[in-house]
Amino acid sequence: MKRIGIVVLMLLGATLIHAATKTEWSLTNNLHGIKTYQRVSPGSSLVDLKGITVIDARMENFGQVLRDLNAFPQWMDMCKQAELVSRIDENNMTLHLVFDFPVVANRDLVVKADTVYDLAKARGIVTLTMVKDSSVPVPAGALRMTDFNGTYVFEYITREKTGVIYTYHADPGGYLPAFAVNIVGKYMLYRTLK
């Protein structure tokens, strides 16, 4: 238990040092072992979001969950559908995600997911980059998100525990007030990590 606490503090310290190059992260929630943060995103009225937690799973299992597209709606908040667009290999692929938003039109996103493993540090990093010029059609009744980028960092803590840091910036597009997008984004982040 002591080791887990030390690793969580190390993960938090590393991300805070990195964050100091932009604006500082502010804690928005600390509940059920999940800490969520936000910071001002330069040039945007929407915030950057970050969540940190420790999951009860082996590191390789976490990587498999990220590859199991059929399971995305089970763990990614508001995700209605995930499908493969193209695959270079098991660690580099392009996905099409559809989100079922309440009250407003659904959103979709085409995102490139590139995974790099750093075995010396027992860490994996998934870089998520929006594909803006995609041939994937927008589903009927949905809007394509106008901006998205993010990262999953997952680190070995013990054989049965993995530290996870999920950071992202998203603009769902359309005529939505920034304060509402920021609030919904915080809850989506928390529920996804939960």
Side-chain angles (χ1 to χ4, degrees), residues 147-193:
D147 191 23
F148 177 87
N149 62 72
T151 59
Y152 282 105
V153 176
F154 51 105
E155 286 190 330
Y156 176 91
I157 295 176
T158 69
R159 192 67 189 111
E160 302 298 328
K161 294 195 180 291
T162 302
V164 177
I165 302 170
Y166 178 35
T167 308
Y168 75 91
H169 178 85
D171 185 342
Y175 301 102
L176 300 174
F179 78 89
V181 173
N182 290 334
I183 290 170
V184 170
K186 286 182 227 176
Y187 287 105
M188 284 182 73
L189 172 65
Y190 173 77
R191 288 190 300 252
T192 293
L193 290 174

mmCIF file of all heavy atoms in Angstrom, residues 147-193:
data_model
loop_
_atom_site.group_PDB
_atom_site.id
_atom_site.type_symbol
_atom_site.label_atom_id
_atom_site.label_comp_id
_atom_site.label_asym_id
_atom_site.label_seq_id
_atom_site.Cartn_x
_atom_site.Cartn_y
_atom_site.Cartn_z
ATOM 1 N N ASP A 147 -11.948 19.698 -32.546
ATOM 2 C CA ASP A 147 -10.581 19.609 -32.041
ATOM 3 C C ASP A 147 -10.508 18.537 -30.964
ATOM 4 O O ASP A 147 -11.426 18.391 -30.152
ATOM 5 C CB ASP A 147 -10.137 20.956 -31.453
ATOM 6 C CG ASP A 147 -8.646 21.009 -31.158
ATOM 7 O OD1 ASP A 147 -7.888 20.237 -31.767
ATOM 8 O OD2 ASP A 147 -8.242 21.818 -30.308
ATOM 9 N N PHE A 148 -9.408 17.786 -30.975
ATOM 10 C CA PHE A 148 -9.174 16.795 -29.935
ATOM 11 C C PHE A 148 -7.709 16.386 -29.970
ATOM 12 O O PHE A 148 -7.129 16.181 -31.038
ATOM 13 C CB PHE A 148 -10.029 15.534 -30.121
ATOM 14 C CG PHE A 148 -9.739 14.488 -29.083
ATOM 15 C CD1 PHE A 148 -10.392 14.509 -27.867
ATOM 16 C CD2 PHE A 148 -8.783 13.513 -29.297
ATOM 17 C CE1 PHE A 148 -10.096 13.575 -26.879
ATOM 18 C CE2 PHE A 148 -8.477 12.567 -28.330
ATOM 19 C CZ PHE A 148 -9.140 12.608 -27.119
ATOM 20 N N ASN A 149 -7.109 16.248 -28.799
ATOM 21 C CA ASN A 149 -5.806 15.613 -28.650
ATOM 22 C C ASN A 149 -5.712 15.127 -27.211
ATOM 23 O O ASN A 149 -6.354 15.687 -26.323
ATOM 24 C CB ASN A 149 -4.643 16.549 -29.018
ATOM 25 C CG ASN A 149 -4.584 17.754 -28.116
ATOM 26 O OD1 ASN A 149 -4.213 17.640 -26.950
ATOM 27 N ND2 ASN A 149 -4.955 18.917 -28.627
ATOM 28 N N GLY A 150 -4.947 14.079 -27.014
ATOM 29 C CA GLY A 150 -4.834 13.554 -25.660
ATOM 30 C C GLY A 150 -3.730 12.520 -25.542
ATOM 31 O O GLY A 150 -3.105 12.144 -26.530
ATOM 32 N N THR A 151 -3.524 12.070 -24.309
ATOM 33 C CA THR A 151 -2.561 11.002 -24.041
ATOM 34 C C THR A 151 -3.051 10.133 -22.888
ATOM 35 O O THR A 151 -3.687 10.622 -21.957
ATOM 36 C CB THR A 151 -1.158 11.523 -23.653
ATOM 37 O OG1 THR A 151 -1.268 12.343 -22.497
ATOM 38 C CG2 THR A 151 -0.497 12.287 -24.776
ATOM 39 N N TYR A 152 -2.757 8.857 -22.998
ATOM 40 C CA TYR A 152 -2.856 7.928 -21.879
ATOM 41 C C TYR A 152 -1.428 7.556 -21.529
ATOM 42 O O TYR A 152 -0.658 7.117 -22.388
ATOM 43 C CB TYR A 152 -3.573 6.624 -22.264
ATOM 44 C CG TYR A 152 -5.056 6.689 -22.356
ATOM 45 C CD1 TYR A 152 -5.685 6.698 -23.597
ATOM 46 C CD2 TYR A 152 -5.839 6.698 -21.214
ATOM 47 C CE1 TYR A 152 -7.055 6.721 -23.697
ATOM 48 C CE2 TYR A 152 -7.216 6.734 -21.303
ATOM 49 C CZ TYR A 152 -7.823 6.746 -22.553
ATOM 50 O OH TYR A 152 -9.179 6.776 -22.638
ATOM 51 N N VAL A 153 -1.058 7.719 -20.274
ATOM 52 C CA VAL A 153 0.218 7.213 -19.793
ATOM 53 C C VAL A 153 -0.135 6.139 -18.771
ATOM 54 O O VAL A 153 -0.904 6.388 -17.839
ATOM 55 C CB VAL A 153 1.076 8.320 -19.126
ATOM 56 C CG1 VAL A 153 2.357 7.734 -18.559
ATOM 57 C CG2 VAL A 153 1.373 9.428 -20.117
ATOM 58 N N PHE A 154 0.389 4.938 -18.972
ATOM 59 C CA PHE A 154 0.131 3.879 -17.999
ATOM 60 C C PHE A 154 1.446 3.267 -17.573
ATOM 61 O O PHE A 154 2.321 3.002 -18.388
ATOM 62 C CB PHE A 154 -0.854 2.837 -18.524
ATOM 63 C CG PHE A 154 -0.558 2.248 -19.869
ATOM 64 C CD1 PHE A 154 -0.067 0.965 -19.975
ATOM 65 C CD2 PHE A 154 -0.798 2.961 -21.034
ATOM 66 C CE1 PHE A 154 0.194 0.411 -21.214
ATOM 67 C CE2 PHE A 154 -0.553 2.415 -22.279
ATOM 68 C CZ PHE A 154 -0.043 1.130 -22.373
ATOM 69 N N GLU A 155 1.590 3.118 -16.238
ATOM 70 C CA GLU A 155 2.857 2.691 -15.648
ATOM 71 C C GLU A 155 2.660 1.520 -14.696
ATOM 72 O O GLU A 155 1.677 1.465 -13.955
ATOM 73 C CB GLU A 155 3.502 3.832 -14.856
ATOM 74 C CG GLU A 155 4.097 4.900 -15.716
ATOM 75 C CD GLU A 155 4.931 5.891 -14.910
ATOM 76 O OE1 GLU A 155 4.639 6.133 -13.724
ATOM 77 O OE2 GLU A 155 5.884 6.411 -15.488
ATOM 78 N N TYR A 156 3.642 0.654 -14.713
ATOM 79 C CA TYR A 156 3.679 -0.481 -13.794
ATOM 80 C C TYR A 156 3.863 0.028 -12.367
ATOM 81 O O TYR A 156 4.742 0.839 -12.102
ATOM 82 C CB TYR A 156 4.862 -1.375 -14.174
ATOM 83 C CG TYR A 156 5.082 -2.543 -13.251
ATOM 84 C CD1 TYR A 156 4.486 -3.761 -13.507
ATOM 85 C CD2 TYR A 156 5.897 -2.424 -12.133
ATOM 86 C CE1 TYR A 156 4.705 -4.849 -12.678
ATOM 87 C CE2 TYR A 156 6.117 -3.499 -11.294
ATOM 88 C CZ TYR A 156 5.510 -4.710 -11.570
ATOM 89 O OH TYR A 156 5.722 -5.779 -10.741
ATOM 90 N N ILE A 157 2.997 -0.421 -11.470
ATOM 91 C CA ILE A 157 3.156 -0.118 -10.046
ATOM 92 C C ILE A 157 3.511 -1.417 -9.317
ATOM 93 O O ILE A 157 4.524 -1.508 -8.653
ATOM 94 C CB ILE A 157 1.898 0.532 -9.451
ATOM 95 C CG1 ILE A 157 1.683 1.903 -10.101
ATOM 96 C CG2 ILE A 157 2.013 0.666 -7.942
ATOM 97 C CD1 ILE A 157 0.431 2.599 -9.675
ATOM 98 N N THR A 158 2.620 -2.398 -9.448
ATOM 99 C CA THR A 158 2.896 -3.757 -8.982
ATOM 100 C C THR A 158 2.367 -4.676 -10.073
ATOM 101 O O THR A 158 1.774 -4.217 -11.037
ATOM 102 C CB THR A 158 2.180 -4.085 -7.649
ATOM 103 O OG1 THR A 158 0.764 -4.155 -7.882
ATOM 104 C CG2 THR A 158 2.487 -3.068 -6.572
ATOM 105 N N ARG A 159 2.563 -5.957 -9.891
ATOM 106 C CA ARG A 159 2.097 -6.901 -10.918
ATOM 107 C C ARG A 159 0.596 -6.787 -11.150
ATOM 108 O O ARG A 159 0.108 -7.033 -12.247
ATOM 109 C CB ARG A 159 2.477 -8.329 -10.492
ATOM 110 C CG ARG A 159 2.299 -9.338 -11.579
ATOM 111 C CD ARG A 159 3.291 -9.100 -12.720
ATOM 112 N NE ARG A 159 2.979 -9.942 -13.857
ATOM 113 C CZ ARG A 159 2.518 -9.498 -15.020
ATOM 114 N NH1 ARG A 159 2.308 -8.228 -15.229
ATOM 115 N NH2 ARG A 159 2.252 -10.333 -15.990
ATOM 116 N N GLU A 160 -0.156 -6.391 -10.142
ATOM 117 C CA GLU A 160 -1.616 -6.344 -10.253
ATOM 118 C C GLU A 160 -2.187 -4.924 -10.247
ATOM 119 O O GLU A 160 -3.396 -4.748 -10.173
ATOM 120 C CB GLU A 160 -2.261 -7.149 -9.112
ATOM 121 C CG GLU A 160 -1.833 -8.602 -9.059
ATOM 122 C CD GLU A 160 -2.219 -9.386 -10.317
ATOM 123 O OE1 GLU A 160 -3.257 -9.078 -10.923
ATOM 124 O OE2 GLU A 160 -1.465 -10.307 -10.681
ATOM 125 N N LYS A 161 -1.325 -3.909 -10.308
ATOM 126 C CA LYS A 161 -1.801 -2.520 -10.276
ATOM 127 C C LYS A 161 -1.063 -1.693 -11.328
ATOM 128 O O LYS A 161 0.142 -1.839 -11.508
ATOM 129 C CB LYS A 161 -1.610 -1.907 -8.898
ATOM 130 C CG LYS A 161 -2.482 -2.571 -7.838
ATOM 131 C CD LYS A 161 -2.564 -1.740 -6.593
ATOM 132 C CE LYS A 161 -3.433 -2.406 -5.544
ATOM 133 N NZ LYS A 161 -4.829 -2.462 -5.876
ATOM 134 N N THR A 162 -1.825 -0.799 -11.973
ATOM 135 C CA THR A 162 -1.269 0.059 -13.023
ATOM 136 C C THR A 162 -1.698 1.498 -12.759
ATOM 137 O O THR A 162 -2.879 1.766 -12.517
ATOM 138 C CB THR A 162 -1.788 -0.381 -14.410
ATOM 139 O OG1 THR A 162 -1.428 -1.759 -14.612
ATOM 140 C CG2 THR A 162 -1.206 0.464 -15.519
ATOM 141 N N GLY A 163 -0.738 2.414 -12.796
ATOM 142 C CA GLY A 163 -1.035 3.833 -12.685
ATOM 143 C C GLY A 163 -1.442 4.367 -14.046
ATOM 144 O O GLY A 163 -0.850 4.012 -15.068
ATOM 145 N N VAL A 164 -2.479 5.196 -14.074
ATOM 146 C CA VAL A 164 -2.982 5.744 -15.332
ATOM 147 C C VAL A 164 -3.124 7.254 -15.211
ATOM 148 O O VAL A 164 -3.670 7.764 -14.222
ATOM 149 C CB VAL A 164 -4.356 5.135 -15.703
ATOM 150 C CG1 VAL A 164 -4.905 5.765 -16.990
ATOM 151 C CG2 VAL A 164 -4.272 3.637 -15.837
ATOM 152 N N ILE A 165 -2.618 7.959 -16.222
ATOM 153 C CA ILE A 165 -2.832 9.403 -16.340
ATOM 154 C C ILE A 165 -3.462 9.629 -17.709
ATOM 155 O O ILE A 165 -2.880 9.255 -18.731
ATOM 156 C CB ILE A 165 -1.513 10.194 -16.251
ATOM 157 C CG1 ILE A 165 -0.792 9.912 -14.951
ATOM 158 C CG2 ILE A 165 -1.784 11.693 -16.401
ATOM 159 C CD1 ILE A 165 0.620 10.478 -14.908
ATOM 160 N N TYR A 166 -4.654 10.201 -17.729
ATOM 161 C CA TYR A 166 -5.341 10.494 -18.988
ATOM 162 C C TYR A 166 -5.483 12.005 -19.083
ATOM 163 O O TYR A 166 -6.067 12.644 -18.212
ATOM 164 C CB TYR A 166 -6.698 9.806 -19.005
ATOM 165 C CG TYR A 166 -7.534 10.071 -20.241
ATOM 166 C CD1 TYR A 166 -6.962 10.231 -21.498
ATOM 167 C CD2 TYR A 166 -8.915 10.131 -20.149
ATOM 168 C CE1 TYR A 166 -7.740 10.455 -22.629
ATOM 169 C CE2 TYR A 166 -9.709 10.353 -21.267
ATOM 170 C CZ TYR A 166 -9.118 10.510 -22.507
ATOM 171 O OH TYR A 166 -9.899 10.740 -23.610
ATOM 172 N N THR A 167 -4.932 12.582 -20.141
ATOM 173 C CA THR A 167 -4.971 14.024 -20.359
ATOM 174 C C THR A 167 -5.567 14.284 -21.721
ATOM 175 O O THR A 167 -5.225 13.588 -22.689
ATOM 176 C CB THR A 167 -3.543 14.617 -20.325
ATOM 177 O OG1 THR A 167 -2.901 14.196 -19.130
ATOM 178 C CG2 THR A 167 -3.566 16.127 -20.376
ATOM 179 N N TYR A 168 -6.472 15.266 -21.814
ATOM 180 C CA TYR A 168 -7.001 15.592 -23.137
ATOM 181 C C TYR A 168 -7.563 17.007 -23.203
ATOM 182 O O TYR A 168 -7.853 17.644 -22.196
ATOM 183 C CB TYR A 168 -8.038 14.568 -23.591
ATOM 184 C CG TYR A 168 -9.400 14.665 -22.918
ATOM 185 C CD1 TYR A 168 -10.417 15.432 -23.463
ATOM 186 C CD2 TYR A 168 -9.673 13.940 -21.765
ATOM 187 C CE1 TYR A 168 -11.672 15.490 -22.871
ATOM 188 C CE2 TYR A 168 -10.919 13.992 -21.159
ATOM 189 C CZ TYR A 168 -11.918 14.768 -21.729
ATOM 190 O OH TYR A 168 -13.146 14.828 -21.132
ATOM 191 N N HIS A 169 -7.693 17.458 -24.454
ATOM 192 C CA HIS A 169 -8.375 18.711 -24.778
ATOM 193 C C HIS A 169 -9.348 18.375 -25.901
ATOM 194 O O HIS A 169 -8.967 17.742 -26.885
ATOM 195 C CB HIS A 169 -7.383 19.778 -25.254
ATOM 196 C CG HIS A 169 -8.056 21.054 -25.645
ATOM 197 N ND1 HIS A 169 -8.365 22.035 -24.737
ATOM 198 C CD2 HIS A 169 -8.527 21.487 -26.841
ATOM 199 C CE1 HIS A 169 -8.971 23.030 -25.355
ATOM 200 N NE2 HIS A 169 -9.084 22.718 -26.645
ATOM 201 N N ALA A 170 -10.604 18.768 -25.743
ATOM 202 C CA ALA A 170 -11.612 18.444 -26.744
ATOM 203 C C ALA A 170 -12.531 19.630 -26.984
ATOM 204 O O ALA A 170 -12.930 20.319 -26.043
ATOM 205 C CB ALA A 170 -12.431 17.238 -26.285
ATOM 206 N N ASP A 171 -12.851 19.852 -28.240
ATOM 207 C CA ASP A 171 -13.859 20.836 -28.627
ATOM 208 C C ASP A 171 -14.914 20.091 -29.421
ATOM 209 O O ASP A 171 -14.653 19.645 -30.545
ATOM 210 C CB ASP A 171 -13.238 21.938 -29.473
ATOM 211 C CG ASP A 171 -14.231 23.057 -29.790
ATOM 212 O OD1 ASP A 171 -15.460 22.835 -29.669
ATOM 213 O OD2 ASP A 171 -13.785 24.148 -30.174
ATOM 214 N N PRO A 172 -16.124 19.923 -28.842
ATOM 215 C CA PRO A 172 -17.147 19.145 -29.523
ATOM 216 C C PRO A 172 -17.761 19.861 -30.728
ATOM 217 O O PRO A 172 -18.499 19.250 -31.496
ATOM 218 C CB PRO A 172 -18.197 18.906 -28.431
ATOM 219 C CG PRO A 172 -18.014 20.059 -27.505
ATOM 220 C CD PRO A 172 -16.560 20.392 -27.538
ATOM 221 N N GLY A 173 -17.439 21.139 -30.910
ATOM 222 C CA GLY A 173 -18.005 21.867 -32.034
ATOM 223 C C GLY A 173 -19.462 22.222 -31.793
ATOM 224 O O GLY A 173 -20.035 21.933 -30.747
ATOM 225 N N GLY A 174 -20.072 22.853 -32.761
ATOM 226 C CA GLY A 174 -21.461 23.283 -32.618
ATOM 227 C C GLY A 174 -21.543 24.532 -31.769
ATOM 228 O O GLY A 174 -20.533 25.157 -31.423
ATOM 229 N N TYR A 175 -22.743 24.888 -31.422
ATOM 230 C CA TYR A 175 -22.970 26.124 -30.659
ATOM 231 C C TYR A 175 -23.258 25.803 -29.202
ATOM 232 O O TYR A 175 -24.371 25.952 -28.714
ATOM 233 C CB TYR A 175 -24.118 26.922 -31.288
ATOM 234 C CG TYR A 175 -23.837 27.288 -32.716
ATOM 235 C CD1 TYR A 175 -24.420 26.591 -33.765
ATOM 236 C CD2 TYR A 175 -22.939 28.300 -33.010
ATOM 237 C CE1 TYR A 175 -24.129 26.919 -35.083
ATOM 238 C CE2 TYR A 175 -22.645 28.639 -34.326
ATOM 239 C CZ TYR A 175 -23.240 27.937 -35.347
ATOM 240 O OH TYR A 175 -22.930 28.256 -36.642
ATOM 241 N N LEU A 176 -22.229 25.339 -28.519
ATOM 242 C CA LEU A 176 -22.363 24.980 -27.109
ATOM 243 C C LEU A 176 -21.562 25.964 -26.274
ATOM 244 O O LEU A 176 -20.422 26.278 -26.607
ATOM 245 C CB LEU A 176 -21.841 23.562 -26.866
ATOM 246 C CG LEU A 176 -22.537 22.444 -27.646
ATOM 247 C CD1 LEU A 176 -21.818 21.121 -27.415
ATOM 248 C CD2 LEU A 176 -23.996 22.341 -27.230
ATOM 249 N N PRO A 177 -22.134 26.447 -25.171
ATOM 250 C CA PRO A 177 -21.373 27.371 -24.320
ATOM 251 C C PRO A 177 -20.179 26.671 -23.678
ATOM 252 O O PRO A 177 -20.265 25.518 -23.248
ATOM 253 C CB PRO A 177 -22.393 27.817 -23.273
ATOM 254 C CG PRO A 177 -23.517 26.846 -23.334
ATOM 255 C CD PRO A 177 -23.483 26.182 -24.675
ATOM 256 N N ALA A 178 -19.058 27.383 -23.615
ATOM 257 C CA ALA A 178 -17.811 26.808 -23.096
ATOM 258 C C ALA A 178 -17.979 26.284 -21.670
ATOM 259 O O ALA A 178 -17.452 25.218 -21.344
ATOM 260 C CB ALA A 178 -16.695 27.842 -23.163
ATOM 261 N N PHE A 179 -18.708 27.017 -20.818
ATOM 262 C CA PHE A 179 -18.844 26.567 -19.429
ATOM 263 C C PHE A 179 -19.533 25.202 -19.368
ATOM 264 O O PHE A 179 -19.169 24.347 -18.567
ATOM 265 C CB PHE A 179 -19.581 27.604 -18.565
ATOM 266 C CG PHE A 179 -21.075 27.617 -18.745
ATOM 267 C CD1 PHE A 179 -21.892 26.805 -17.973
ATOM 268 C CD2 PHE A 179 -21.670 28.438 -19.701
ATOM 269 C CE1 PHE A 179 -23.271 26.802 -18.133
ATOM 270 C CE2 PHE A 179 -23.043 28.446 -19.873
ATOM 271 C CZ PHE A 179 -23.851 27.624 -19.096
ATOM 272 N N ALA A 180 -20.512 24.954 -20.250
ATOM 273 C CA ALA A 180 -21.222 23.676 -20.255
ATOM 274 C C ALA A 180 -20.309 22.564 -20.760
ATOM 275 O O ALA A 180 -20.280 21.469 -20.200
ATOM 276 C CB ALA A 180 -22.474 23.766 -21.116
ATOM 277 N N VAL A 181 -19.538 22.838 -21.811
ATOM 278 C CA VAL A 181 -18.596 21.853 -22.351
ATOM 279 C C VAL A 181 -17.564 21.490 -21.292
ATOM 280 O O VAL A 181 -17.228 20.318 -21.103
ATOM 281 C CB VAL A 181 -17.908 22.388 -23.627
ATOM 282 C CG1 VAL A 181 -16.794 21.444 -24.089
ATOM 283 C CG2 VAL A 181 -18.942 22.592 -24.738
ATOM 284 N N ASN A 182 -17.057 22.489 -20.571
ATOM 285 C CA ASN A 182 -16.055 22.237 -19.529
ATOM 286 C C ASN A 182 -16.613 21.381 -18.395
ATOM 287 O O ASN A 182 -15.934 20.473 -17.902
ATOM 288 C CB ASN A 182 -15.506 23.557 -18.988
ATOM 289 C CG ASN A 182 -14.627 24.273 -19.996
ATOM 290 O OD1 ASN A 182 -14.037 23.659 -20.877
ATOM 291 N ND2 ASN A 182 -14.557 25.583 -19.885
ATOM 292 N N ILE A 183 -17.833 21.633 -17.994
ATOM 293 C CA ILE A 183 -18.458 20.844 -16.917
ATOM 294 C C ILE A 183 -18.670 19.400 -17.367
ATOM 295 O O ILE A 183 -18.309 18.449 -16.671
ATOM 296 C CB ILE A 183 -19.786 21.487 -16.461
ATOM 297 C CG1 ILE A 183 -19.506 22.787 -15.712
ATOM 298 C CG2 ILE A 183 -20.594 20.519 -15.599
ATOM 299 C CD1 ILE A 183 -20.743 23.619 -15.418
ATOM 300 N N VAL A 184 -19.243 19.229 -18.551
ATOM 301 C CA VAL A 184 -19.495 17.877 -19.060
ATOM 302 C C VAL A 184 -18.172 17.131 -19.250
ATOM 303 O O VAL A 184 -18.058 15.955 -18.917
ATOM 304 C CB VAL A 184 -20.308 17.932 -20.375
ATOM 305 C CG1 VAL A 184 -20.365 16.557 -21.031
ATOM 306 C CG2 VAL A 184 -21.711 18.450 -20.105
ATOM 307 N N GLY A 185 -17.147 17.819 -19.742
ATOM 308 C CA GLY A 185 -15.837 17.198 -19.937
ATOM 309 C C GLY A 185 -15.268 16.655 -18.646
ATOM 310 O O GLY A 185 -14.697 15.554 -18.613
ATOM 311 N N LYS A 186 -15.418 17.401 -17.553
ATOM 312 C CA LYS A 186 -14.902 16.947 -16.253
ATOM 313 C C LYS A 186 -15.585 15.662 -15.801
ATOM 314 O O LYS A 186 -14.942 14.730 -15.320
ATOM 315 C CB LYS A 186 -15.128 18.018 -15.191
ATOM 316 C CG LYS A 186 -14.215 19.206 -15.299
ATOM 317 C CD LYS A 186 -14.492 20.173 -14.173
ATOM 318 C CE LYS A 186 -14.589 21.574 -14.712
ATOM 319 N NZ LYS A 186 -14.939 22.547 -13.709
ATOM 320 N N TYR A 187 -16.918 15.617 -15.970
ATOM 321 C CA TYR A 187 -17.651 14.424 -15.556
ATOM 322 C C TYR A 187 -17.346 13.235 -16.455
ATOM 323 O O TYR A 187 -17.239 12.102 -15.987
ATOM 324 C CB TYR A 187 -19.152 14.706 -15.494
ATOM 325 C CG TYR A 187 -19.502 15.569 -14.314
ATOM 326 C CD1 TYR A 187 -19.821 16.906 -14.484
ATOM 327 C CD2 TYR A 187 -19.471 15.050 -13.023
ATOM 328 C CE1 TYR A 187 -20.115 17.715 -13.384
ATOM 329 C CE2 TYR A 187 -19.757 15.846 -11.922
ATOM 330 C CZ TYR A 187 -20.089 17.179 -12.115
ATOM 331 O OH TYR A 187 -20.369 17.968 -11.042
ATOM 332 N N MET A 188 -17.187 13.488 -17.759
ATOM 333 C CA MET A 188 -16.831 12.402 -18.682
ATOM 334 C C MET A 188 -15.480 11.795 -18.308
ATOM 335 O O MET A 188 -15.310 10.578 -18.313
ATOM 336 C CB MET A 188 -16.789 12.909 -20.128
ATOM 337 C CG MET A 188 -18.145 13.115 -20.758
ATOM 338 S SD MET A 188 -18.004 13.669 -22.485
ATOM 339 C CE MET A 188 -17.470 12.168 -23.285
ATOM 340 N N LEU A 189 -14.520 12.650 -17.982
ATOM 341 C CA LEU A 189 -13.192 12.187 -17.588
ATOM 342 C C LEU A 189 -13.279 11.301 -16.350
ATOM 343 O O LEU A 189 -12.750 10.190 -16.313
ATOM 344 C CB LEU A 189 -12.283 13.382 -17.329
ATOM 345 C CG LEU A 189 -10.912 13.088 -16.722
ATOM 346 C CD1 LEU A 189 -10.061 12.280 -17.700
ATOM 347 C CD2 LEU A 189 -10.204 14.378 -16.344
ATOM 348 N N TYR A 190 -13.971 11.777 -15.321
ATOM 349 C CA TYR A 190 -14.099 11.034 -14.071
ATOM 350 C C TYR A 190 -14.781 9.687 -14.316
ATOM 351 O O TYR A 190 -14.316 8.633 -13.875
ATOM 352 C CB TYR A 190 -14.879 11.851 -13.036
ATOM 353 C CG TYR A 190 -15.184 11.060 -11.810
ATOM 354 C CD1 TYR A 190 -14.215 10.815 -10.853
ATOM 355 C CD2 TYR A 190 -16.452 10.520 -11.611
ATOM 356 C CE1 TYR A 190 -14.489 10.050 -9.722
ATOM 357 C CE2 TYR A 190 -16.731 9.755 -10.499
ATOM 358 C CZ TYR A 190 -15.764 9.528 -9.554
ATOM 359 O OH TYR A 190 -16.033 8.758 -8.446
ATOM 360 N N ARG A 191 -15.901 9.710 -15.046
ATOM 361 C CA ARG A 191 -16.655 8.459 -15.258
ATOM 362 C C ARG A 191 -15.887 7.476 -16.129
ATOM 363 O O ARG A 191 -16.006 6.268 -15.948
ATOM 364 C CB ARG A 191 -18.033 8.780 -15.848
ATOM 365 C CG ARG A 191 -18.956 9.434 -14.822
ATOM 366 C CD ARG A 191 -20.381 9.523 -15.316
ATOM 367 N NE ARG A 191 -20.509 10.300 -16.530
ATOM 368 C CZ ARG A 191 -21.051 11.507 -16.623
ATOM 369 N NH1 ARG A 191 -21.524 12.089 -15.533
ATOM 370 N NH2 ARG A 191 -21.145 12.132 -17.769
ATOM 371 N N THR A 192 -15.092 7.972 -17.072
ATOM 372 C CA THR A 192 -14.270 7.084 -17.894
ATOM 373 C C THR A 192 -13.232 6.377 -17.032
ATOM 374 O O THR A 192 -13.048 5.159 -17.130
ATOM 375 C CB THR A 192 -13.581 7.874 -19.031
ATOM 376 O OG1 THR A 192 -14.591 8.328 -19.938
ATOM 377 C CG2 THR A 192 -12.585 7.008 -19.784
ATOM 378 N N LEU A 193 -12.564 7.107 -16.160
ATOM 379 C CA LEU A 193 -11.550 6.485 -15.303
ATOM 380 C C LEU A 193 -12.173 5.584 -14.250
ATOM 381 O O LEU A 193 -11.576 4.590 -13.843
ATOM 382 C CB LEU A 193 -10.683 7.560 -14.644
ATOM 383 C CG LEU A 193 -9.755 8.297 -15.598
ATOM 384 C CD1 LEU A 193 -9.040 9.434 -14.889
ATOM 385 C CD2 LEU A 193 -8.751 7.352 -16.237
#
